Amino acid sequence: MADARREWAVNAVLAALLLAVPVAALWLDEPFYITLAARVAILALAGVGLNLALGLGGMVSFGHAAFFGVGGYVAGIMASHAFSGQPMVFGLQGSNQMLVIWAVAMAITGVMAAGIGALSLRTSGVYFIMITLAFAQMVYFFALGWPAYGGDDGLPIFLRNQFPGLNTAQIWDLFLLCYGVLLVVLGLFAMLQHSRFGVALQAIRQNPTRAAAVGISPFGVRLVAFVLSGMITGLAGAMMADLTRFVSPSMLAWQMSGELIVIIILGGVGRLFGPVAGAGILVAFEVFFGGLTQHWQLWLGLVLLAVVLFARGGLIGLIAGPARHV
Amino acid sequence: MSEAVLELEGVSKNFGALKATDGVSLTLRRGEIHALIGPNGAGKSTLMGLIGGALRPDAGRVRLDGVDITRLDMAARARAGLGRSFQISSLIPAYTVRGNVLLALQARAGHVFRFVRPVARDRELGAQAARVLDRVGLSDRAAVPAAQLSHGERRMLEIAIAIAMEPRVFLLDEPMAGMGTEGARSLMRFLDGLRREAPILLVEHDMDAVFTLADRISVLTYGRLIATGTVAEIRADPAVRAAYLGEDQP
């Protein structure tokens, strides 16, 4: 019980910290740090998506960049059509409304995840890792060779998309939006984790034969989790496009998939606030060590190695002990 | 008392040239314990796999309450009413004893795709789990993760999970394996009563247990059934004695 309370405390501190940094930055008039905090929130959101598949479901997807990048391209493409006034396919109009863009991004990434999941989940272990990577690389090279939307130059978003009641051109408003979405999705994740679905999913991760023997088909449960996972990461991609006002194939690259896995491992696999901790650590490394040396990723690698060897539960596991289950 | 709940008809399975299961037909009747015995390598585990759905037969039919379940996978057979325990305990290691039973209960309730209500706060499932754990004597271990249980406790949790499923048929694969004398004896008493809830197909190496519990015994060697009968018939069967029980048996 002590561990459960401690995890709550860690989560609260992380949530408060992610809010406190931009508040301080706003007060000190340092908008760069507000942008960073928004970046942490969005990467954490993408991580929450992956955490559903990888952490709860044990599906080590090395292809989540596909969902992240496609979410980004949906935002970029819809915004560019809204800007130019030209219709998209089938005469559909673009949009500069985030709510519309998010819905489309999640619908498309959901369908993608259903297709990729249905094929990939016939395999497991290393084969699953490789097949998800292969799908993501297909999407990557498709984007690279699609000149209509920038090809390898990427696609700028000239005017940031809008959200009712907020002035998204202001970085503080945009941060609040990202932070709010992150908290809502974390709430949904927590709900899912403890529901019948979540209990079944985590049981399947540990022992699929036992789950089948009590009447739970592993495939269906895993597929639904994979789809939800892809949709969350797709949503994060759409938001990242609006934060940077730029989409490029690098969002779809395998390095992005790796970054998301690193976020999960650093923070704590399967832990509610693991992605928040992991995204915070990653961005902090990038900023502080990136300012000192070009080779900051070497130091990140060493930290990752230490976590894998000595602190399997990531930051959350280190502080709050192993996860507790029903 | 004589109607067949589980029925195998000419079930065969080959692995390459090896006939692991060769035209096995047997029935499990309401209210009985039917023991399946045979020397090591006789194909008992293969046959259990074919009944449980881990393996698909090359030929033959498996029927449960008259319904053909031959083409169903393991999960579908479990939902159809096969409750099984494994030869080597197969549990959800990080889940508590209670959590393992809850998993079986929620699967039987048939709503895996429920995303909102926390399982741990479901009073009805909780009460059912408490009743099941009370029956197998694991109540005071309810909050312990399955990974921390002793071997004997794991065996009992396997039984508890099967009971929680309220199956039409129990498939118990060496439930007493590795249990101490005392544990095995109390499990025998428990199984003796359990047959009234649903018939039991029992694979067991402990011959004392088999001869005490079984209403009927089937003997498997080299994938074939060489005899089925009551305890007395099996004891007296010359083929069985030659193939399995050895010369020194009474």
Side-chain angles (χ1 to χ4, degrees), chain A residues 191-192 194-197 199 202-203 206-207 210 212-215 217 224 326, chain B residues 75 78-79 90-91 94-96 106-107 111-112 114 118-119 122 158 165:
Chain A
M191 186 184 82
L192 212 69
H194 298 106
S195 70
R196 287 185 179 187
F197 175 77
V199 167
Q202 293 169 83
Q206 298 173 63
N207 188 344
R210 170 41 85 190
V214 299
S217 298
V224 170
V326 288
Chain B
R79 288 195 294 272
S90 180
L91 303 165
Y95 283 13
T96 60
Q106 75 165 34
H111 311 297
V112 171
R114 291 273 178 99
V119 173
D122 189 321
E158 284 265 334
M165 294 169 68

PDB file of all heavy atoms in Angstrom, chain A residues 191-192 194-197 199 202-203 206-207 210 212-215 217 224 326, chain B residues 75 78-79 90-91 94-96 106-107 111-112 114 118-119 122 158 165:
ATOM      1  N   MET A 191      -8.071   4.589 -16.353  1.00  0.00           N
ATOM      2  CA  MET A 191      -9.363   3.914 -16.327  1.00  0.00           C
ATOM      3  C   MET A 191      -9.287   2.569 -17.056  1.00  0.00           C
ATOM      4  O   MET A 191      -9.722   1.530 -16.550  1.00  0.00           O
ATOM      5  CB  MET A 191     -10.382   4.827 -17.002  1.00  0.00           C
ATOM      6  CG  MET A 191     -11.798   4.369 -16.959  1.00  0.00           C
ATOM      7  SD  MET A 191     -12.819   5.515 -17.914  1.00  0.00           S
ATOM      8  CE  MET A 191     -12.521   4.892 -19.567  1.00  0.00           C
ATOM      9  N   LEU A 192      -8.664   2.631 -18.240  1.00  0.00           N
ATOM     10  CA  LEU A 192      -8.518   1.431 -19.066  1.00  0.00           C
ATOM     11  C   LEU A 192      -7.710   0.345 -18.352  1.00  0.00           C
ATOM     12  O   LEU A 192      -8.034  -0.832 -18.386  1.00  0.00           O
ATOM     13  CB  LEU A 192      -7.796   1.831 -20.352  1.00  0.00           C
ATOM     14  CG  LEU A 192      -8.141   1.085 -21.607  1.00  0.00           C
ATOM     15  CD1 LEU A 192      -9.550   1.439 -22.010  1.00  0.00           C
ATOM     16  CD2 LEU A 192      -7.178   1.495 -22.713  1.00  0.00           C
ATOM     17  N   HIS A 194      -7.375  -0.425 -15.312  1.00  0.00           N
ATOM     18  CA  HIS A 194      -8.012  -1.158 -14.221  1.00  0.00           C
ATOM     19  C   HIS A 194      -9.346  -1.782 -14.606  1.00  0.00           C
ATOM     20  O   HIS A 194      -9.973  -2.453 -13.800  1.00  0.00           O
ATOM     21  CB  HIS A 194      -8.192  -0.232 -13.010  1.00  0.00           C
ATOM     22  CG  HIS A 194      -6.886   0.276 -12.474  1.00  0.00           C
ATOM     23  ND1 HIS A 194      -6.443   1.567 -12.658  1.00  0.00           N
ATOM     24  CD2 HIS A 194      -5.902  -0.347 -11.811  1.00  0.00           C
ATOM     25  CE1 HIS A 194      -5.262   1.716 -12.119  1.00  0.00           C
ATOM     26  NE2 HIS A 194      -4.895   0.564 -11.592  1.00  0.00           N
ATOM     27  N   SER A 195      -9.764  -1.529 -15.864  1.00  0.00           N
ATOM     28  CA  SER A 195     -11.043  -2.087 -16.306  1.00  0.00           C
ATOM     29  C   SER A 195     -10.871  -3.567 -16.646  1.00  0.00           C
ATOM     30  O   SER A 195      -9.759  -4.100 -16.637  1.00  0.00           O
ATOM     31  CB  SER A 195     -11.526  -1.340 -17.551  1.00  0.00           C
ATOM     32  OG  SER A 195     -10.681  -1.659 -18.651  1.00  0.00           O
ATOM     33  N   ARG A 196     -11.984  -4.205 -16.956  1.00  0.00           N
ATOM     34  CA  ARG A 196     -11.913  -5.624 -17.368  1.00  0.00           C
ATOM     35  C   ARG A 196     -11.003  -5.790 -18.578  1.00  0.00           C
ATOM     36  O   ARG A 196     -10.222  -6.725 -18.655  1.00  0.00           O
ATOM     37  CB  ARG A 196     -13.310  -6.122 -17.725  1.00  0.00           C
ATOM     38  CG  ARG A 196     -14.174  -6.317 -16.512  1.00  0.00           C
ATOM     39  CD  ARG A 196     -15.500  -6.919 -16.897  1.00  0.00           C
ATOM     40  NE  ARG A 196     -16.299  -7.113 -15.704  1.00  0.00           N
ATOM     41  CZ  ARG A 196     -17.465  -7.751 -15.692  1.00  0.00           C
ATOM     42  NH1 ARG A 196     -17.963  -8.235 -16.811  1.00  0.00           N
ATOM     43  NH2 ARG A 196     -18.121  -7.907 -14.574  1.00  0.00           N
ATOM     44  N   PHE A 197     -11.112  -4.829 -19.497  1.00  0.00           N
ATOM     45  CA  PHE A 197     -10.266  -4.890 -20.682  1.00  0.00           C
ATOM     46  C   PHE A 197      -8.788  -4.819 -20.299  1.00  0.00           C
ATOM     47  O   PHE A 197      -7.971  -5.608 -20.773  1.00  0.00           O
ATOM     48  CB  PHE A 197     -10.630  -3.735 -21.624  1.00  0.00           C
ATOM     49  CG  PHE A 197      -9.739  -3.623 -22.819  1.00  0.00           C
ATOM     50  CD1 PHE A 197      -9.874  -4.473 -23.886  1.00  0.00           C
ATOM     51  CD2 PHE A 197      -8.735  -2.663 -22.856  1.00  0.00           C
ATOM     52  CE1 PHE A 197      -9.048  -4.382 -24.983  1.00  0.00           C
ATOM     53  CE2 PHE A 197      -7.903  -2.558 -23.951  1.00  0.00           C
ATOM     54  CZ  PHE A 197      -8.053  -3.420 -25.015  1.00  0.00           C
ATOM     55  N   VAL A 199      -7.372  -5.476 -17.400  1.00  0.00           N
ATOM     56  CA  VAL A 199      -6.966  -6.660 -16.646  1.00  0.00           C
ATOM     57  C   VAL A 199      -6.713  -7.830 -17.601  1.00  0.00           C
ATOM     58  O   VAL A 199      -5.731  -8.571 -17.461  1.00  0.00           O
ATOM     59  CB  VAL A 199      -8.035  -7.016 -15.586  1.00  0.00           C
ATOM     60  CG1 VAL A 199      -7.796  -8.400 -15.011  1.00  0.00           C
ATOM     61  CG2 VAL A 199      -8.037  -5.973 -14.469  1.00  0.00           C
ATOM     62  N   GLN A 202      -3.372  -7.097 -19.633  1.00  0.00           N
ATOM     63  CA  GLN A 202      -2.143  -7.308 -18.867  1.00  0.00           C
ATOM     64  C   GLN A 202      -1.945  -8.782 -18.515  1.00  0.00           C
ATOM     65  O   GLN A 202      -0.815  -9.248 -18.364  1.00  0.00           O
ATOM     66  CB  GLN A 202      -2.155  -6.450 -17.601  1.00  0.00           C
ATOM     67  CG  GLN A 202      -2.088  -4.968 -17.903  1.00  0.00           C
ATOM     68  CD  GLN A 202      -2.370  -4.109 -16.693  1.00  0.00           C
ATOM     69  OE1 GLN A 202      -1.496  -3.856 -15.878  1.00  0.00           O
ATOM     70  NE2 GLN A 202      -3.615  -3.672 -16.548  1.00  0.00           N
ATOM     71  N   ALA A 203      -3.052  -9.516 -18.405  1.00  0.00           N
ATOM     72  CA  ALA A 203      -2.937 -10.959 -18.191  1.00  0.00           C
ATOM     73  C   ALA A 203      -2.364 -11.627 -19.444  1.00  0.00           C
ATOM     74  O   ALA A 203      -1.498 -12.498 -19.360  1.00  0.00           O
ATOM     75  CB  ALA A 203      -4.302 -11.543 -17.841  1.00  0.00           C
ATOM     76  N   GLN A 206       1.322 -11.407 -19.761  1.00  0.00           N
ATOM     77  CA  GLN A 206       2.093 -12.292 -18.891  1.00  0.00           C
ATOM     78  C   GLN A 206       1.962 -13.755 -19.274  1.00  0.00           C
ATOM     79  O   GLN A 206       2.913 -14.518 -19.127  1.00  0.00           O
ATOM     80  CB  GLN A 206       1.639 -12.112 -17.436  1.00  0.00           C
ATOM     81  CG  GLN A 206       1.855 -10.720 -16.908  1.00  0.00           C
ATOM     82  CD  GLN A 206       1.241 -10.547 -15.527  1.00  0.00           C
ATOM     83  OE1 GLN A 206       1.637 -11.192 -14.579  1.00  0.00           O
ATOM     84  NE2 GLN A 206       0.242  -9.683 -15.427  1.00  0.00           N
ATOM     85  N   ASN A 207       0.778 -14.150 -19.715  1.00  0.00           N
ATOM     86  CA  ASN A 207       0.552 -15.572 -19.979  1.00  0.00           C
ATOM     87  C   ASN A 207      -0.646 -15.763 -20.907  1.00  0.00           C
ATOM     88  O   ASN A 207      -1.763 -16.009 -20.457  1.00  0.00           O
ATOM     89  CB  ASN A 207       0.321 -16.308 -18.653  1.00  0.00           C
ATOM     90  CG  ASN A 207       0.284 -17.809 -18.827  1.00  0.00           C
ATOM     91  OD1 ASN A 207       0.141 -18.316 -19.938  1.00  0.00           O
ATOM     92  ND2 ASN A 207       0.400 -18.529 -17.738  1.00  0.00           N
ATOM     93  N   ARG A 210      -2.788 -18.963 -20.504  1.00  0.00           N
ATOM     94  CA  ARG A 210      -3.720 -18.973 -19.378  1.00  0.00           C
ATOM     95  C   ARG A 210      -4.960 -18.146 -19.706  1.00  0.00           C
ATOM     96  O   ARG A 210      -6.080 -18.545 -19.399  1.00  0.00           O
ATOM     97  CB  ARG A 210      -3.005 -18.448 -18.121  1.00  0.00           C
ATOM     98  CG  ARG A 210      -3.880 -18.178 -16.934  1.00  0.00           C
ATOM     99  CD  ARG A 210      -4.938 -19.211 -16.719  1.00  0.00           C
ATOM    100  NE  ARG A 210      -4.523 -20.370 -15.968  1.00  0.00           N
ATOM    101  CZ  ARG A 210      -5.275 -21.470 -15.843  1.00  0.00           C
ATOM    102  NH1 ARG A 210      -6.458 -21.558 -16.443  1.00  0.00           N
ATOM    103  NH2 ARG A 210      -4.847 -22.491 -15.140  1.00  0.00           N
ATOM    104  N   ALA A 212      -6.253 -17.609 -22.632  1.00  0.00           N
ATOM    105  CA  ALA A 212      -7.083 -18.381 -23.563  1.00  0.00           C
ATOM    106  C   ALA A 212      -7.811 -19.500 -22.824  1.00  0.00           C
ATOM    107  O   ALA A 212      -8.972 -19.782 -23.104  1.00  0.00           O
ATOM    108  CB  ALA A 212      -6.224 -18.949 -24.690  1.00  0.00           C
ATOM    109  N   ALA A 213      -7.129 -20.108 -21.855  1.00  0.00           N
ATOM    110  CA  ALA A 213      -7.726 -21.243 -21.151  1.00  0.00           C
ATOM    111  C   ALA A 213      -8.899 -20.832 -20.270  1.00  0.00           C
ATOM    112  O   ALA A 213      -9.706 -21.668 -19.893  1.00  0.00           O
ATOM    113  CB  ALA A 213      -6.672 -21.967 -20.316  1.00  0.00           C
ATOM    114  N   VAL A 214      -8.993 -19.548 -19.901  1.00  0.00           N
ATOM    115  CA  VAL A 214     -10.198 -19.114 -19.185  1.00  0.00           C
ATOM    116  C   VAL A 214     -11.207 -18.473 -20.138  1.00  0.00           C
ATOM    117  O   VAL A 214     -12.244 -17.982 -19.705  1.00  0.00           O
ATOM    118  CB  VAL A 214      -9.900 -18.160 -17.998  1.00  0.00           C
ATOM    119  CG1 VAL A 214      -9.034 -18.840 -16.961  1.00  0.00           C
ATOM    120  CG2 VAL A 214      -9.281 -16.856 -18.474  1.00  0.00           C
ATOM    121  N   GLY A 215     -10.886 -18.453 -21.437  1.00  0.00           N
ATOM    122  CA  GLY A 215     -11.887 -18.023 -22.413  1.00  0.00           C
ATOM    123  C   GLY A 215     -11.672 -16.641 -22.997  1.00  0.00           C
ATOM    124  O   GLY A 215     -12.566 -16.082 -23.611  1.00  0.00           O
ATOM    125  N   SER A 217      -9.793 -14.544 -25.769  1.00  0.00           N
ATOM    126  CA  SER A 217      -8.983 -14.669 -26.991  1.00  0.00           C
ATOM    127  C   SER A 217      -7.928 -13.577 -27.006  1.00  0.00           C
ATOM    128  O   SER A 217      -8.261 -12.395 -27.071  1.00  0.00           O
ATOM    129  CB  SER A 217      -9.856 -14.525 -28.234  1.00  0.00           C
ATOM    130  OG  SER A 217     -10.802 -15.554 -28.257  1.00  0.00           O
ATOM    131  N   VAL A 224      -7.415  -4.573 -30.268  1.00  0.00           N
ATOM    132  CA  VAL A 224      -8.113  -3.364 -29.812  1.00  0.00           C
ATOM    133  C   VAL A 224      -7.130  -2.436 -29.088  1.00  0.00           C
ATOM    134  O   VAL A 224      -7.126  -1.219 -29.300  1.00  0.00           O
ATOM    135  CB  VAL A 224      -9.299  -3.733 -28.900  1.00  0.00           C
ATOM    136  CG1 VAL A 224      -9.865  -2.487 -28.232  1.00  0.00           C
ATOM    137  CG2 VAL A 224     -10.385  -4.435 -29.703  1.00  0.00           C
ATOM    138  N   VAL A 326      -4.150  -6.356  -9.779  1.00  0.00           N
ATOM    139  CA  VAL A 326      -5.348  -6.907  -9.116  1.00  0.00           C
ATOM    140  C   VAL A 326      -5.017  -8.220  -8.437  1.00  0.00           C
ATOM    141  O   VAL A 326      -4.210  -8.993  -8.922  1.00  0.00           O
ATOM    142  CB  VAL A 326      -6.524  -7.138 -10.081  1.00  0.00           C
ATOM    143  CG1 VAL A 326      -7.108  -5.821 -10.477  1.00  0.00           C
ATOM    144  CG2 VAL A 326      -6.111  -7.952 -11.277  1.00  0.00           C
TER     145      VAL A 326
ATOM    146  N   ALA B  75      -9.664 -20.593 -26.516  1.00  0.00           N
ATOM    147  CA  ALA B  75     -10.515 -19.631 -25.813  1.00  0.00           C
ATOM    148  C   ALA B  75     -11.990 -19.935 -26.050  1.00  0.00           C
ATOM    149  O   ALA B  75     -12.802 -19.876 -25.120  1.00  0.00           O
ATOM    150  CB  ALA B  75     -10.184 -18.208 -26.262  1.00  0.00           C
ATOM    151  N   ALA B  78     -13.002 -22.872 -24.018  1.00  0.00           N
ATOM    152  CA  ALA B  78     -13.152 -22.498 -22.615  1.00  0.00           C
ATOM    153  C   ALA B  78     -14.513 -21.846 -22.401  1.00  0.00           C
ATOM    154  O   ALA B  78     -15.215 -22.142 -21.435  1.00  0.00           O
ATOM    155  CB  ALA B  78     -12.029 -21.552 -22.199  1.00  0.00           C
ATOM    156  N   ARG B  79     -14.895 -20.972 -23.330  1.00  0.00           N
ATOM    157  CA  ARG B  79     -16.203 -20.317 -23.201  1.00  0.00           C
ATOM    158  C   ARG B  79     -17.334 -21.322 -23.375  1.00  0.00           C
ATOM    159  O   ARG B  79     -18.403 -21.170 -22.790  1.00  0.00           O
ATOM    160  CB  ARG B  79     -16.336 -19.189 -24.237  1.00  0.00           C
ATOM    161  CG  ARG B  79     -15.470 -17.982 -23.921  1.00  0.00           C
ATOM    162  CD  ARG B  79     -15.884 -16.766 -24.742  1.00  0.00           C
ATOM    163  NE  ARG B  79     -15.640 -16.939 -26.165  1.00  0.00           N
ATOM    164  CZ  ARG B  79     -14.486 -16.635 -26.781  1.00  0.00           C
ATOM    165  NH1 ARG B  79     -13.490 -16.126 -26.078  1.00  0.00           N
ATOM    166  NH2 ARG B  79     -14.341 -16.825 -28.071  1.00  0.00           N
ATOM    167  N   SER B  90       0.107 -22.796 -14.653  1.00  0.00           N
ATOM    168  CA  SER B  90       0.118 -21.720 -15.640  1.00  0.00           C
ATOM    169  C   SER B  90      -0.771 -20.613 -15.102  1.00  0.00           C
ATOM    170  O   SER B  90      -1.978 -20.650 -15.244  1.00  0.00           O
ATOM    171  CB  SER B  90      -0.407 -22.256 -16.973  1.00  0.00           C
ATOM    172  OG  SER B  90      -0.407 -21.248 -17.947  1.00  0.00           O
ATOM    173  N   LEU B  91      -0.133 -19.647 -14.451  1.00  0.00           N
ATOM    174  CA  LEU B  91      -0.890 -18.593 -13.771  1.00  0.00           C
ATOM    175  C   LEU B  91      -0.452 -17.241 -14.308  1.00  0.00           C
ATOM    176  O   LEU B  91       0.457 -17.143 -15.121  1.00  0.00           O
ATOM    177  CB  LEU B  91      -0.626 -18.666 -12.262  1.00  0.00           C
ATOM    178  CG  LEU B  91      -0.963 -20.015 -11.624  1.00  0.00           C
ATOM    179  CD1 LEU B  91      -0.347 -20.124 -10.243  1.00  0.00           C
ATOM    180  CD2 LEU B  91      -2.465 -20.213 -11.547  1.00  0.00           C
ATOM    181  N   ALA B  94       2.119 -11.886 -11.937  1.00  0.00           N
ATOM    182  CA  ALA B  94       2.086 -10.618 -11.198  1.00  0.00           C
ATOM    183  C   ALA B  94       0.732 -10.364 -10.542  1.00  0.00           C
ATOM    184  O   ALA B  94       0.625  -9.524  -9.661  1.00  0.00           O
ATOM    185  CB  ALA B  94       2.446  -9.446 -12.113  1.00  0.00           C
ATOM    186  N   TYR B  95      -0.286 -11.083 -10.969  1.00  0.00           N
ATOM    187  CA  TYR B  95      -1.613 -10.897 -10.369  1.00  0.00           C
ATOM    188  C   TYR B  95      -1.676 -11.648  -9.050  1.00  0.00           C
ATOM    189  O   TYR B  95      -1.061 -12.697  -8.876  1.00  0.00           O
ATOM    190  CB  TYR B  95      -2.711 -11.414 -11.305  1.00  0.00           C
ATOM    191  CG  TYR B  95      -3.034 -10.503 -12.473  1.00  0.00           C
ATOM    192  CD1 TYR B  95      -2.196  -9.439 -12.797  1.00  0.00           C
ATOM    193  CD2 TYR B  95      -4.168 -10.700 -13.234  1.00  0.00           C
ATOM    194  CE1 TYR B  95      -2.490  -8.609 -13.865  1.00  0.00           C
ATOM    195  CE2 TYR B  95      -4.469  -9.875 -14.305  1.00  0.00           C
ATOM    196  CZ  TYR B  95      -3.621  -8.832 -14.616  1.00  0.00           C
ATOM    197  OH  TYR B  95      -3.922  -8.020 -15.682  1.00  0.00           O
ATOM    198  N   THR B  96      -2.464 -11.091  -8.143  1.00  0.00           N
ATOM    199  CA  THR B  96      -2.659 -11.770  -6.871  1.00  0.00           C
ATOM    200  C   THR B  96      -3.493 -13.029  -7.097  1.00  0.00           C
ATOM    201  O   THR B  96      -4.045 -13.253  -8.183  1.00  0.00           O
ATOM    202  CB  THR B  96      -3.412 -10.860  -5.891  1.00  0.00           C
ATOM    203  OG1 THR B  96      -4.676 -10.551  -6.458  1.00  0.00           O
ATOM    204  CG2 THR B  96      -2.633  -9.578  -5.621  1.00  0.00           C
ATOM    205  N   GLN B 106     -14.348 -12.811 -14.761  1.00  0.00           N
ATOM    206  CA  GLN B 106     -14.776 -11.791 -15.731  1.00  0.00           C
ATOM    207  C   GLN B 106     -14.879 -12.383 -17.127  1.00  0.00           C
ATOM    208  O   GLN B 106     -15.709 -11.965 -17.916  1.00  0.00           O
ATOM    209  CB  GLN B 106     -13.830 -10.589 -15.708  1.00  0.00           C
ATOM    210  CG  GLN B 106     -12.484 -10.822 -16.375  1.00  0.00           C
ATOM    211  CD  GLN B 106     -11.763  -9.497 -16.641  1.00  0.00           C
ATOM    212  OE1 GLN B 106     -11.883  -8.566 -15.878  1.00  0.00           O
ATOM    213  NE2 GLN B 106     -11.009  -9.432 -17.720  1.00  0.00           N
ATOM    214  N   ALA B 107     -14.039 -13.393 -17.411  1.00  0.00           N
ATOM    215  CA  ALA B 107     -14.137 -14.043 -18.711  1.00  0.00           C
ATOM    216  C   ALA B 107     -15.454 -14.803 -18.814  1.00  0.00           C
ATOM    217  O   ALA B 107     -16.114 -14.791 -19.849  1.00  0.00           O
ATOM    218  CB  ALA B 107     -12.962 -14.989 -18.931  1.00  0.00           C
ATOM    219  N   HIS B 111     -17.689 -10.327 -20.606  1.00  0.00           N
ATOM    220  CA  HIS B 111     -17.542  -8.939 -21.052  1.00  0.00           C
ATOM    221  C   HIS B 111     -16.096  -8.500 -20.924  1.00  0.00           C
ATOM    222  O   HIS B 111     -15.742  -7.802 -19.997  1.00  0.00           O
ATOM    223  CB  HIS B 111     -18.406  -8.004 -20.214  1.00  0.00           C
ATOM    224  CG  HIS B 111     -19.811  -8.469 -20.071  1.00  0.00           C
ATOM    225  ND1 HIS B 111     -20.655  -8.594 -21.140  1.00  0.00           N
ATOM    226  CD2 HIS B 111     -20.516  -8.860 -18.996  1.00  0.00           C
ATOM    227  CE1 HIS B 111     -21.832  -9.017 -20.718  1.00  0.00           C
ATOM    228  NE2 HIS B 111     -21.773  -9.199 -19.427  1.00  0.00           N
ATOM    229  N   VAL B 112     -15.267  -8.920 -21.849  1.00  0.00           N
ATOM    230  CA  VAL B 112     -13.873  -8.492 -21.789  1.00  0.00           C
ATOM    231  C   VAL B 112     -13.746  -7.055 -22.269  1.00  0.00           C
ATOM    232  O   VAL B 112     -12.942  -6.282 -21.768  1.00  0.00           O
ATOM    233  CB  VAL B 112     -12.991  -9.433 -22.628  1.00  0.00           C
ATOM    234  CG1 VAL B 112     -11.582  -8.876 -22.748  1.00  0.00           C
ATOM    235  CG2 VAL B 112     -12.951 -10.803 -21.984  1.00  0.00           C
ATOM    236  N   ARG B 114     -14.959  -4.225 -21.713  1.00  0.00           N
ATOM    237  CA  ARG B 114     -15.545  -3.216 -20.835  1.00  0.00           C
ATOM    238  C   ARG B 114     -14.397  -2.343 -20.378  1.00  0.00           C
ATOM    239  O   ARG B 114     -13.437  -2.832 -19.787  1.00  0.00           O
ATOM    240  CB  ARG B 114     -16.199  -3.890 -19.618  1.00  0.00           C
ATOM    241  CG  ARG B 114     -17.436  -4.686 -19.966  1.00  0.00           C
ATOM    242  CD  ARG B 114     -18.644  -3.766 -19.948  1.00  0.00           C
ATOM    243  NE  ARG B 114     -19.851  -4.487 -20.331  1.00  0.00           N
ATOM    244  CZ  ARG B 114     -20.726  -4.953 -19.450  1.00  0.00           C
ATOM    245  NH1 ARG B 114     -20.518  -4.813 -18.161  1.00  0.00           N
ATOM    246  NH2 ARG B 114     -21.806  -5.569 -19.862  1.00  0.00           N
ATOM    247  N   PRO B 118     -13.557  -0.228 -12.786  1.00  0.00           N
ATOM    248  CA  PRO B 118     -12.410  -1.006 -12.315  1.00  0.00           C
ATOM    249  C   PRO B 118     -12.835  -2.379 -11.789  1.00  0.00           C
ATOM    250  O   PRO B 118     -13.808  -2.492 -11.046  1.00  0.00           O
ATOM    251  CB  PRO B 118     -11.808  -0.152 -11.204  1.00  0.00           C
ATOM    252  CG  PRO B 118     -12.790   0.897 -10.894  1.00  0.00           C
ATOM    253  CD  PRO B 118     -13.794   0.978 -11.985  1.00  0.00           C
ATOM    254  N   VAL B 119     -12.098  -3.394 -12.195  1.00  0.00           N
ATOM    255  CA  VAL B 119     -12.404  -4.768 -11.786  1.00  0.00           C
ATOM    256  C   VAL B 119     -12.329  -4.909 -10.270  1.00  0.00           C
ATOM    257  O   VAL B 119     -13.159  -5.558  -9.637  1.00  0.00           O
ATOM    258  CB  VAL B 119     -11.418  -5.753 -12.457  1.00  0.00           C
ATOM    259  CG1 VAL B 119     -11.605  -7.149 -11.911  1.00  0.00           C
ATOM    260  CG2 VAL B 119     -11.603  -5.744 -13.962  1.00  0.00           C
ATOM    261  N   ASP B 122     -15.452  -4.178  -8.403  1.00  0.00           N
ATOM    262  CA  ASP B 122     -16.677  -4.866  -8.807  1.00  0.00           C
ATOM    263  C   ASP B 122     -17.096  -5.804  -7.676  1.00  0.00           C
ATOM    264  O   ASP B 122     -16.503  -6.860  -7.467  1.00  0.00           O
ATOM    265  CB  ASP B 122     -16.413  -5.642 -10.108  1.00  0.00           C
ATOM    266  CG  ASP B 122     -17.691  -6.198 -10.704  1.00  0.00           C
ATOM    267  OD1 ASP B 122     -18.551  -6.658  -9.925  1.00  0.00           O
ATOM    268  OD2 ASP B 122     -17.826  -6.185 -11.933  1.00  0.00           O
ATOM    269  N   GLU B 158      -4.716 -23.260  -9.472  1.00  0.00           N
ATOM    270  CA  GLU B 158      -5.140 -23.808 -10.774  1.00  0.00           C
ATOM    271  C   GLU B 158      -6.565 -24.365 -10.671  1.00  0.00           C
ATOM    272  O   GLU B 158      -7.396 -24.129 -11.534  1.00  0.00           O
ATOM    273  CB  GLU B 158      -4.201 -24.958 -11.189  1.00  0.00           C
ATOM    274  CG  GLU B 158      -2.864 -24.495 -11.702  1.00  0.00           C
ATOM    275  CD  GLU B 158      -2.841 -24.375 -13.228  1.00  0.00           C
ATOM    276  OE1 GLU B 158      -3.622 -25.070 -13.893  1.00  0.00           O
ATOM    277  OE2 GLU B 158      -2.060 -23.558 -13.716  1.00  0.00           O
ATOM    278  N   MET B 165     -14.593 -20.827 -13.373  1.00  0.00           N
ATOM    279  CA  MET B 165     -15.184 -20.827 -14.721  1.00  0.00           C
ATOM    280  C   MET B 165     -16.537 -21.515 -14.766  1.00  0.00           C
ATOM    281  O   MET B 165     -17.240 -21.426 -15.765  1.00  0.00           O
ATOM    282  CB  MET B 165     -14.231 -21.532 -15.700  1.00  0.00           C
ATOM    283  CG  MET B 165     -12.925 -20.792 -15.910  1.00  0.00           C
ATOM    284  SD  MET B 165     -11.721 -21.802 -16.800  1.00  0.00           S
ATOM    285  CE  MET B 165     -12.500 -21.907 -18.418  1.00  0.00           C
TER     286      MET B 165
END
